[in-house]
């Protein structure tokens, strides 16, 4: 019997990780620890919330007393840490929120694990889920490897880089058994519609402009979220303690090419005449500090842990579009209220 705390389990990636672990490991106790910020949504887990090995704890990782209570109650052997502020544009609007949750929250969690395990780390693991954005930006060629020097440019990536450094410092200083993975852009079901793909799906459904930043030639490496969850499972169980694993889709797209493919698939789904959705594309002011290109070299996890993506981008995008059509209620719920205020602030001023 293992008990694992998964932080941020009500969010996009976290909910897929929680579902995978709850279903695949009925002998484990899975504790979803989440503050339920705007990005956290228990609707994401309705299908598994009655499972006997699933537990939910509403708590902020900044709240040390809450962490103490939850660790004592559930006595975890492992922590998989996904809770974070995750959107680059929001980090430009409110950088301190990212310092609090991503840096201080992570250090709180490291302290709690260290103290709860009383420096006896046999059979314990602290897994920190991070991003490729810590490596900065690439030019036309090259890839991020596990040895690429950190060079973050946004408040979001700076906060994630800082949290990665703290995680490694706890391994080096206190011997806490840690593992880190740095992943490229995820997409798929339950993705909050502030990020490129779900935002544009929602806007096409509502016939709203598709706001492409700058020249649209920025490049990202896209990975289907369930393939990331499968990689997290492998890294948690078979990754080498103290190591870092880069995870990516071997799947680079310039934003404008991706948006055109999305428009084509959306037109097919909606029964529109070809070219209809593309007419919504609107170039707007660039994101400040916008990283030109990300591309992950995922050969280490591929060779050492035999992981590779299971779906092509075209397949994954189709599955994603189908999910948003089948879950329009979810989309309506998450785009009411605070979302409207954020959308106004992000897209209406000076663009
Ligand atoms: P998300 O924004 O969808 O979800 C974040 C979750 O964390 C939410 O459920 C939210 O309620 C919770 N949370 C936020 N602040 C909290 C706090 N103070 N205490 C407790 N819970 C809190 O994020 P995501 O896209 O699922 O990303 C999950 C993790 O993976 C993040 O650490 C992110 O940096 C990393 N990551 C994301 C991507 C991506 O493409 N989305 C890629 C690589 C790495
Ligand atoms: O690389 C991993 C990272 O991917 C994760 O760590 C982050 O949590 C996640 O949000 C994501 O960051 P990006 O900034 O790359 O994702 P986003 O979907 O916000 O933007 C993708 C690209 O699309 C980027 O070049 C900016 C552009 N974009 C985005 C939005 C929201 C637009 O052109 N218009 C938009 O409205």
């Amino acid at each position: 019997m293992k008990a694992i705390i998964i932080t941020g389990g009500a969010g996009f990636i976290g909910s897929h990780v929680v579902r995978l672990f709850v279903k695949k490991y009925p002998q484990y106790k899975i504790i979803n620890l989440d503050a339920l910020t705007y990005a956290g949504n228990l609707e994401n887990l309705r299908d598994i919330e009655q499972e006997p090995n699933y537990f939910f704890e509403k708590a902020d990782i900044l709240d040390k007393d809450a962490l103490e209570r939850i660790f004592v109650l559930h006595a975890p052997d492992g922590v998989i840490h996904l809770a974070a502020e995750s959107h680059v544009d929001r980090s430009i609007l409110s950088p301190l929120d990212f310092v609090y949750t991503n840096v201080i929250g992570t250090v709180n969690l490291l302290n709690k694990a260290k103290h709860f395990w009383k420096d006896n780390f046999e059979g314990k693991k602290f897994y920190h889920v991070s991003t490729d954005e810590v490596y900065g930006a690439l030019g036309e060629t090259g890839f991020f490897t596990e040895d690429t020097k950190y060079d973050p440019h946004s408040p979001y990536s700076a906060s994630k880089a800082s949290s990665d450094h703290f995680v490694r410092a706890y391994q080096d200083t206190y011997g806490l058994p840690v593992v880190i993975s740095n992943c490229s852009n995820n997409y798929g079901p339950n993705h909050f519609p502030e990020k490129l793909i779900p935002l544009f799906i929602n806007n096409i459904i509502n016939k709203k402009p598709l706001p492409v930043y700058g020249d649209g030639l920025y490049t990202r490496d896209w990975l289907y979220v369930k393939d990331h969850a499968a990689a997290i499972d492998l890294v948690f169980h078979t990754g080498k303690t103290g190591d870092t694993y880069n995870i990516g889709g071997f799947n680079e797209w310039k934003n404008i090419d991706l948006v055109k493919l999305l428009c084509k698939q959306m037109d097919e789904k909606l029964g529109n005449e070809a070219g209809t959705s593309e007419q919504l594309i609107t170039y707007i002011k660039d994101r400040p500090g916008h990283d030109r290109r990300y591309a992950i070299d995922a050969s280490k996890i591929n060779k050492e842990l035999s992981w590779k993506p299971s779906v092509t981008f075209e397949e994954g995008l189709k599955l994603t579009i189908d999910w948003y059509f089948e879950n329009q209620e979810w989309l309506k719920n998450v785009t009411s209220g605070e979302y409207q205020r954020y959308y106004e602030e992000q897209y209406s001023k000076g663009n």
Side-chain angles (χ1 to χ4, degrees), residues 12-13 16-17 20-21 24 127 129 181 183-189 221-235 246-251 298 301 305-317 319-320:
F12 166 47
I13 302 170
H16 288 276
V17 176
L20 177 70
F21 274 66
K24 188 169 171 187
Y127 178 3
V129 176
S181 58
C183 188
S184 64
N185 287 63
N186 286 216
Y187 71 99
D221 172 359
W222 294 91
L223 177 67
Y224 192 56
V225 64
K226 294 186 188 189
D227 284 328
H228 187 190
I232 288 174
D233 178 18
L234 272 177
V235 170
N246 278 359
I247 307 170
F250 305 101
N251 178 42
I301 188 170
L305 309 186
S306 302
W307 172 88
K308 62 176 183 351
S310 69
V311 292
T312 66
F313 189 53
E314 283 76 1
E315 287 164 349
L317 200 54
L319 289 169
T320 304

Side-chain angles (χ1 to χ4, degrees), residues 95-269:
L96 264 179
D97 292 345
F98 287 68
V99 177
Y100 291 132
T101 287
N102 297 1
V103 185
I104 300 173
T106 299
V107 177
N108 271 344
L109 207 55
L110 287 163
N111 276 337
K112 188 46 61 195
K114 175 185 177 299
H115 290 134
F116 181 75
W117 291 331
K118 296 194 171 58
D119 297 326
N120 176 3
F121 300 133
E122 186 63 33
K124 308 289 189 266
K125 193 170 276 183
F126 189 105
Y127 178 3
H128 180 59
V129 176
S130 193
T131 171
D132 62 356
E133 302 206 4
V134 298
Y135 298 124
L138 293 163
E140 290 291 309
T141 57
F143 294 90
F144 297 135
T145 72
E146 286 79 2
D147 297 323
T148 301
K149 195 167 127 320
Y150 276 30
D151 182 24
H153 297 133
S154 73
Y156 164 69
S157 52
S159 70
K160 290 296 290 189
S162 171
S163 65
D164 290 11
H165 290 318
F166 271 103
V167 171
R168 291 197 181 95
Y170 270 62
Q171 156 100 24
D172 295 344
T173 309
Y174 308 111
L176 189 76
V178 307
V179 66
I180 300 181
S181 58
N182 296 83
C183 188
S184 64
N185 287 63
N186 286 216
Y187 71 99
N190 310 93
H191 205 181
F192 194 81
E194 62 190 353
K195 311 279 168 65
L196 180 75
I197 292 178
L199 175 79
F200 281 28
I201 290 174
N202 188 41
N203 283 12
I204 291 171
I205 291 172
N206 293 298
K207 301 188 175 59
K208 283 172 68 176
L210 305 178
V212 173
Y213 296 157
D215 61 7
L217 299 177
Y218 293 82
T219 300
R220 296 291 181 267
D221 172 359
W222 294 91
L223 177 67
Y224 192 56
V225 64
K226 294 186 188 189
D227 284 328
H228 187 190
I232 288 174
D233 178 18
L234 272 177
V235 170
F236 181 73
H237 286 99
T238 56
K240 201 165 146 239
T241 299
D243 264 24
T244 296
Y245 294 86
N246 278 359
I247 307 170
F250 305 101
N251 178 42
E252 286 183 54
W253 285 80
K254 288 196 167 45
N255 289 342
I256 191 63
D257 296 334
L258 182 159
V259 169
K260 286 182 178 167
L261 174 66
L262 180 66
C263 286
K264 181 169 168 283
Q265 289 200 1
M266 286 293 287
D267 283 342
E268 284 162 12
K269 184 81 185 173

